[in-house]
Amino acid sequence: MKDEKLKPRKRWITDWWPNRLNLKILRQNCPDSNPYGKDYDYIKEVRELDVDAVIKDLKELMRNSQDWWPADYGHYGPLFIRLAWHSAGSYRIHDGRGGARDGSIRFAPRINWPDNIALDKAIRLLWPIKKKYGRKLSWADLIILSGTVAFEDMGVKILGFSLGREDIFEPDESPDWGPEEEMLTAKRGEKTDIERPLAATEMGLIYVNPEGPGGNPDPVESAKEIREIFARMGMNDEDTVALIAGGHSFGKCHGAGPIDYLGPDPSSSPIEQQGLGWKYNYRSGKGPDTFTSGFELTWSPTPTKFGLHYLRMLFQYEWELEKSPAGKYQWVAKDAPEIIPDAHDHTKKHKPGMLTADMALRFDPIYAEICKRFLEDPQEFERAFARAWFKLTHRDMGPKSCYIGPYVPEEEFIWQDPLPKQDYGLIDESDIEVLKKRILESGLRISQQVYTAWSSASTYRDADRRGGANGARIRLSPMNQWEVNHPEDLKKVVGVYERIQKEFNEEQKNRGSNKRVSIADLIVLGGCAAIEAAARKAGFNVKVPFIPGRVDATQDMVEEEFYKEIEPFADGFRNYFKHVDRIDERSVYTTPEYFLVDKAQLMKLTVPEMVVLTGGLRVLGAVYRYERHGVLTDTPETLTNDFFVNLLDMGIEWRPADGNRYLFEGYNRKTGKLTWSATRVDLIFGHHEELRTVAEVYASDDAREKFVQDFITAWDKVMNLDRFDIKLA
């Protein structure tokens, strides 16, 4: 019988309109959500941290087993390694999201993924250290440090470690983790056909199903999945083998009994459990009776010591399928002696075990060759593992200038987007004015200058702090061939800047001055000069901020494979959308307006900043192919609020202009005359009620100057997104 006391639950807007464009990701983790306050500066705090004291405390904690969650083999190191690995391992290259830099593994959905069972316990075990150091040590840094120190304590010569990961205080809802509502279900294609940016084969997994594709224990097919998925997080074959072989040298898998005894995830668990989920109601539910993955095996006879045992046994024994107590396919060494120690009873021994994902390293010829090379040269294996671990745990931290602490490696890696050292003097205000004049007299159009500057700076994504204007990588391969960057036009524009650079630098040299200007600075300066000129045409004498100091990267400083992989298929700011034929209005996630918001979040933009930038770029003519779509003004290349005025004009009726409902035409309601053309991205600012309220502000008669000032402020923000040389000085 229905309980009449229970009220129907509150409905949210997204319940009624699930296909509505959601702007929430542009508002999440605002300064007001930080309990330390708006003035809290974690970078300043962590610079004062006694890192060695933290390391000492971690090593003591790892060997102090707690009754409420006993340590396997008397050492929490393997558990902390898994925590750090799974924190960092959700990173994916195609949007830079996931990863360890914000400590988001503490929140839903990631803490609730089946692949992360028991990691809530690892976080609670670390709480005494977090409590001790408070504001000077973030969870994000502590989690990665715990895994790194664990490796060191168990015999790995690590490459180094950087502090500087700042915590968030609410879940990050910007990543698209996949369409599935249920965990461990797959609706994302087969093997290499997984939709980007996803980087796991099933919802709730970090990488692949260890049992084999879809639970099929086929090592060869498993290897194909592993190669694809690890590539999606920026790892090559050597990285992959080193990580798996090194990581599986430690600890064990847990599947002591049937999964039926497993309780709900942390977010769904009863309130009295205080956020500890996955309660296992089988025997003691802990220690020897633990359930995490459902597999029950240990890889190495020395599970708290680094070495070659994992690789040796992988090739030394023949393996046969068995099932774990939880019914999972796993592999056991045929005719092998019982040489594996029990995690909690020193009188017991077991046969070596492997996962299908482990067997993949033996049966894939490329992986097997790397394994055998590591077996022949243990030092190479250790070096390869240390490099791969450092890459895994630091991949989303950005350039080396963002690294903090005494253990930052001297070496600079290609995935850190290295830049040359600035060995010349910077241009001053008078030089800037001279250069702006030369750019404006060079024959380049305002739209070209703005488009090129935007194309360069807007490559930045804060998810992993890659891209941006510093380095002028837009002029190098492969970005100089990206379709959205107008390759042929870009070549001409860069050629003009190179001529201006050469002339200016030679003049300075002849005067005995060491001042120089980079192409990177000229590209941004050209955009700024163009905006000033466009504002003057609109009747406003303004100055666009410009801070020199960018340098020019060389081709060998570009991780070409990475930048080939992330070539954009959408940029609503430039009115570019490659997959028009894939638009399905029944799913907002297929539309260019969704990807506009997605890109805005990667650039740390607010809703008003996204709106004003789009409107400004339109009237400046900085749109793909310099077409008229969305350029809702009779005076293009003039910085007016015409885009908003004409978009909200009730005298215009909009009609679809193609079968994909991407292009639209605006007709005068009285005369029937075709007046404007626009895309879905343009029309969303009049259709979506939240966006329309902002557009109305800028369309008002008294907003012309406000629009110009707000556009310049937002423009300056984008141009300097990657200026860590200024922010961290």
Side-chain angles (χ1 to χ4, degrees):
M1 181 181 293
K2 181 180 178 182
D3 188 343
E4 297 299 331
K5 295 181 181 179
L6 291 178
K7 295 181 179 179
R9 73 175 179 87
K10 174 182 177 178
R11 292 290 173 179
W12 301 93
I13 293 173
T14 49
D15 289 330
W16 283 310
W17 294 280
N19 205 41
R20 176 179 178 272
L21 184 66
N22 195 337
L23 306 181
K24 182 179 180 180
I25 63 171
L26 302 185
R27 304 188 180 101
Q28 64 182 10
N29 290 296
C30 68
D32 289 332
S33 70
N34 190 327
Y36 287 119
K38 295 181 180 180
D39 296 329
Y40 174 67
D41 185 346
Y42 177 64
I43 300 305
K44 179 181 178 181
E45 296 284 349
V46 79
R47 289 186 191 277
E48 300 172 357
L49 178 71
D50 186 343
V51 188
D52 290 328
V54 180
I55 292 172
K56 181 175 180 291
D57 289 343
L58 278 169
K59 289 184 177 180
E60 290 177 0
L61 181 146
M62 287 180 196
R63 298 174 183 273
N64 185 14
S65 183
Q66 303 294 310
D67 290 340
W68 67 269
W69 195 256
D72 294 337
Y73 312 104
H75 200 298
Y76 287 119
L79 178 60
F80 292 158
I81 288 169
R82 180 167 168 253
L83 173 64
W85 190 319
H86 286 215
S87 178
S90 58
Y91 170 83
R92 65 269 186 104
I93 62 173
H94 290 114
D95 63 0
R97 294 190 174 104
R101 205 181 84 231
D102 59 8
S104 56
I105 194 172
R106 297 171 296 136
F107 298 108
R110 291 174 60 187
I111 194 62
N112 298 325
W113 285 351
D115 229 1
N116 291 337
I117 295 177
L119 294 184
D120 53 343
K121 318 300 190 299
I123 292 170
R124 294 299 174 86
L125 287 165
L126 289 172
W127 166 240
I129 293 180
K130 171 60 179 158
K131 179 176 181 290
K132 178 178 179 179
Y133 293 96
R135 64 190 294 125
K136 293 192 182 302
L137 178 61
S138 68
W139 272 114
D141 273 341
L142 177 57
I143 286 168
I144 298 303
L145 183 60
S146 72
T148 303
V149 171
F151 276 126
E152 184 183 50
D153 195 55
M154 295 187 292
V156 179
K157 186 177 180 181
I158 63 171
L159 188 64
F161 176 81
S162 172
L163 297 161
R165 301 166 184 84
E166 189 166 0
D167 285 338
I168 55 175
F169 292 90
E170 63 178 287
D172 179 9
E173 298 194 56
S174 65
D176 175 7
W177 296 117
E180 302 88 353
E181 294 182 10
E182 294 183 23
M183 295 294 170
L184 301 182
T185 58
K187 296 178 182 177
R188 48 187 64 177
E190 295 294 328
K191 300 182 182 68
T192 60
D193 192 34
I194 298 169
E195 189 78 20
R196 294 181 179 180
L198 305 181
T201 57
E202 297 180 34
M203 173 63 74
L205 294 179
I206 302 298
Y207 305 127
V208 302
N209 188 334
E211 198 175 11
N216 176 29
D218 185 332
V220 174
E221 292 303 307
S222 180
K224 294 177 183 177
E225 280 196 341
I226 291 169
R227 178 167 286 112
E228 171 66 18
I229 295 304
F230 270 66
R232 287 176 178 237
M233 67 168 207
M235 298 294 175
N236 59 32
D237 285 341
E238 183 168 300
D239 296 330
T240 302
V241 173
L243 282 170
I244 294 174
H248 289 185
S249 296
F250 303 98
K252 68 183 295 289
C253 296
H254 304 83
I259 194 172
D260 301 349
Y261 293 93
L262 188 66
D265 60 60
S267 294
S268 308
S269 62
I271 194 170
E272 66 270 19
Q273 290 179 209
Q274 291 291 278
L276 286 181
W278 316 113
K279 186 175 181 181
Y280 195 47
N281 298 301
Y282 175 78
R283 297 176 182 166
S284 70
K286 59 186 179 180
D289 305 317
T290 299
F291 187 102
T292 55
S293 61
F295 304 99
E296 183 61 37
L297 61 88
T298 302
W299 299 278
S300 167
T302 56
T304 59
K305 184 179 179 181
F306 187 68
L308 294 173
H309 285 300
Y310 169 89
L311 287 171
R312 283 175 181 158
M313 287 189 296
L314 183 63
F315 290 90
Q316 178 179 346
Y317 296 113
E318 293 303 313
W319 299 83
E320 61 183 355
L321 272 177
E322 65 171 10
K323 284 200 173 183
S324 74
K328 294 265 191 175
Y329 281 117
Q330 58 186 41
W331 300 75
V332 63
K334 271 191 209 177
D335 304 322
E338 294 183 341
I339 58 174
I340 302 296
D342 188 83
H344 299 277
D345 186 343
H346 69 275
T347 67
K348 291 182 180 180
K349 297 281 187 179
H350 307 275
K351 286 189 174 186
M354 294 279 171
L355 304 166
T356 299
D358 297 307
M359 302 305 295
L361 302 189
R362 173 170 170 164
F363 285 91
D364 180 89
I366 298 174
Y367 287 158
E369 182 182 347
I370 297 170
C371 288
K372 291 173 182 177
R373 196 176 81 233
F374 287 161
L375 275 167
E376 292 170 1
D377 190 341
Q379 290 184 332
E380 182 191 1
F381 172 42
E382 186 171 18
R383 286 193 300 268
F385 173 74
R387 291 173 71 88
W389 177 257
F390 185 81
K391 181 179 180 181
L392 172 74
T393 53
H394 292 76
R395 186 72 193 245
D396 59 349
M397 287 197 69
K400 191 178 175 183
S401 59
C402 297
Y403 286 39
I404 296 170
Y407 298 110
V408 175
E410 288 294 325
E411 184 177 357
E412 193 168 20
F413 302 95
I414 190 68
W415 46 267
Q416 293 173 319
D417 282 346
L419 292 169
K421 190 174 181 179
Q422 182 186 300
D423 57 358
Y424 50 83
L426 297 181
I427 55 178
D428 57 27
E429 285 299 319
S430 61
D431 299 320
I432 289 170
E433 293 305 315
V434 167
L435 287 166
K436 285 195 292 191
K437 186 172 184 295
R438 292 183 183 181
I439 292 170
L440 292 174
E441 293 174 351
S442 68
L444 294 177
R445 302 189 308 277
I446 285 175
S447 55
Q448 287 178 298
Q449 294 167 222
V450 173
Y451 193 95
T452 304
W454 179 268
S455 299
S456 180
S458 67
T459 55
Y460 178 81
R461 57 188 200 186
D462 195 60
D464 57 0
R465 292 174 173 160
R466 299 202 67 174
N470 201 356
R473 288 181 174 84
I474 191 175
R475 76 196 200 289
L476 303 172
S477 176
M479 275 193 272
N480 62 1
Q481 294 303 313
W482 283 1
E483 180 180 309
V484 68
N485 287 344
H486 294 160
E488 291 304 315
D489 190 61
L490 175 63
K491 187 176 180 180
K492 296 174 185 175
V493 174
V494 171
V496 170
Y497 288 139
E498 287 175 339
R499 175 177 57 78
I500 293 173
Q501 178 198 42
K502 183 179 179 182
E503 292 174 354
F504 178 84
N505 288 351
E506 285 181 352
E507 290 169 3
Q508 297 301 312
K509 184 178 179 180
N510 292 336
R511 294 174 187 169
S513 169
N514 75 333
K515 287 189 293 187
R516 301 290 185 270
V517 67
S518 64
I519 297 295
D521 268 348
L522 282 174
I523 288 173
V524 173
L525 185 59
C528 295
I531 291 168
E532 291 177 356
R536 284 194 294 272
K537 290 171 67 176
F540 298 100
N541 189 18
V542 297
K543 190 167 186 178
V544 179
F546 174 79
I547 304 174
R550 298 169 186 83
V551 293
D552 294 333
T554 54
Q555 188 64 58
D556 62 336
M557 295 176 175
V558 179
E559 189 182 15
E560 292 192 51
E561 288 305 313
F562 170 82
Y563 281 105
K564 284 178 183 176
E565 281 292 320
I566 69 165
E567 179 176 353
F569 60 85
D571 182 358
F573 292 99
R574 288 180 280 181
N575 238 348
Y576 171 75
F577 193 65
K578 190 171 185 177
H579 303 310
V580 172
D581 58 324
R582 299 183 189 178
I583 295 173
D584 182 350
E585 286 189 309
R586 294 169 298 179
S587 172
V588 69
Y589 307 108
T590 68
T591 64
E593 57 264 33
Y594 168 79
F595 291 105
L596 170 73
V597 174
D598 190 68
K599 184 173 180 63
Q601 192 273 339
L602 288 171
M603 292 195 294
K604 303 177 68 175
L605 298 178
T606 64
V607 173
E609 287 169 342
M610 180 183 75
V611 174
V612 77
L613 281 168
T614 305
L617 290 169
R618 293 296 188 273
V619 295
L620 292 171
V623 296
Y624 180 57
R625 292 178 179 169
Y626 305 116
E627 293 178 333
R628 291 288 295 173
H629 304 316
V631 184
L632 309 183
T633 179
D634 293 323
T635 58
E637 300 192 341
T638 304
L639 194 54
T640 66
N641 62 345
D642 285 359
F643 173 82
F644 301 108
V645 171
N646 291 315
L647 180 67
L648 304 184
D649 182 2
M650 287 306 299
I652 299 296
E653 178 186 8
W654 291 96
R655 305 172 191 169
D658 66 12
N660 298 302
R661 293 182 55 81
Y662 174 67
L663 288 176
F664 295 82
E665 293 174 337
Y667 292 85
N668 186 293
R669 291 182 189 270
K670 290 183 177 179
T671 67
K673 180 183 177 182
L674 174 62
T675 308
W676 309 113
S677 67
T679 70
R680 298 184 61 87
V681 171
D682 303 308
L683 297 194
I684 197 66
F685 294 101
H687 170 72
H688 191 282
E689 64 274 20
E690 292 178 59
L691 295 176
R692 187 180 182 96
T693 59
V694 181
E696 287 170 349
V697 170
Y698 291 120
S700 298
D701 292 347
D702 63 352
R704 292 177 65 245
E705 184 174 2
K706 175 179 173 55
F707 164 72
V708 171
Q709 293 295 342
D710 287 1
F711 176 81
I712 289 172
T713 299
W715 170 272
D716 182 55
K717 176 178 176 177
V718 173
M719 294 302 113
N720 291 289
L721 285 169
D722 65 338
R723 293 300 301 275
F724 300 107
D725 55 321
I726 299 170
K727 298 172 186 176
L728 300 176

